[in-house]
Amino acid sequence: MKELKLFTKNDCQKCDHVKERMPKGIKIEVINADTVDGLAEAAFYEIVEKTFPVLIADGEVIVGAIPILDKLESAAGMK
């Protein structure tokens, strides 16, 4: 995987769930979509209206805690 970006929001239980369970040692950029810069980047990827968390994995948009954790585990070689 070249690029992994995890978009989260404040006070988001699913976002916290994913962040707490991310595989160790995986290179991922966590972006808070509640900040001005984070919102701008979310708009760039056209995910502003999506339910968070959202993972961008080499251009692929993945929505939802379970699919995101599955993708991260796969990227980390755990699956």
Side-chain angles (χ1 to χ4, degrees):
M1 295 257 139
K2 289 182 182 179
E3 177 182 60
L4 291 172
K5 293 185 179 195
L6 177 65
F7 288 85
T8 64
K9 287 194 168 197
N10 297 332
D11 301 320
C12 169
Q13 291 179 349
K14 290 180 182 179
C15 299
D16 292 341
H17 177 84
V18 170
K19 289 189 286 187
E20 291 167 0
R21 289 164 178 79
M22 283 192 297
K24 302 290 184 228
I26 193 165
K27 185 179 176 185
I28 185 166
E29 182 179 359
V30 179
I31 301 165
N32 184 338
D34 282 333
T35 67
V36 173
D37 290 340
L39 181 59
E41 192 149 0
F44 173 80
Y45 286 102
E46 300 178 350
I47 60 168
V48 174
E49 299 298 322
K50 302 257 186 223
T51 302
F52 285 78
V54 178
L55 178 69
I56 305 294
D58 292 336
E60 178 185 1
V61 177
I62 302 161
V63 179
I66 293 172
I68 288 171
L69 287 172
D70 286 345
K71 185 69 169 186
L72 293 176
E73 288 172 0
S74 176
M78 298 172 66
K79 283 192 169 188

